[in-house]
Amino acid sequence: MRKFDLDRLERQVDELLRQIDRLRDENASLRASQEHLVAERADLIEKTELARSKVEAMVARLKSMEEQL
C-alpha cells in the first residue's frame, strides 16, 4: 500500500513538473508576444501622428488657398 502511494505521488510530481515547464514556455511566449504588440502599437501611434500632422498641414494649405481666392 505504501509503495502504491509513493508511486502515485511520484507520478503526480512528474506531471506537475511537466506542467510547470509548459507554463514557463507559455509565459515566455506570451511575454514575447506582448513585447511585439507593444512595439507594434508604438509604431502605429507614430504613423498615426505623422498622418495627422500631414492632414493638418494640407488643411492649412487649403484654407490659405481659399483665403487667396
Side-chain angles (χ1 to χ4, degrees), residues 1-19 22:
M1 175 102 172
R2 185 169 191 152
K3 176 74 170 140
F4 174 77
D5 291 342
L6 287 176
D7 288 342
R8 181 175 170 212
L9 179 60
E10 185 177 1
R11 286 191 307 273
Q12 289 174 336
V13 168
D14 288 342
E15 178 57 32
L16 286 172
L17 291 173
R18 284 190 295 275
Q19 188 172 11
R22 283 192 304 268

Side-chain angles (χ1 to χ4, degrees), residues 7-58:
D7 288 342
R8 181 175 170 212
L9 179 60
E10 185 177 1
R11 286 191 307 273
Q12 289 174 336
V13 168
D14 288 342
E15 178 57 32
L16 286 172
L17 291 173
R18 284 190 295 275
Q19 188 172 11
I20 287 169
D21 287 339
R22 283 192 304 268
L23 291 172
R24 189 174 288 130
D25 291 344
E26 182 180 357
N27 191 30
S29 176
L30 289 171
R31 286 182 188 271
S33 293
Q34 181 182 15
E35 287 177 18
H36 174 74
L37 290 171
V38 166
E40 185 177 2
R41 180 179 184 272
D43 186 48
L44 290 172
I45 288 171
E46 185 179 334
K47 288 178 180 178
T48 300
E49 289 301 318
L50 180 61
R52 178 178 289 129
S53 175
K54 288 180 178 182
V55 168
E56 288 173 355
M58 283 189 272

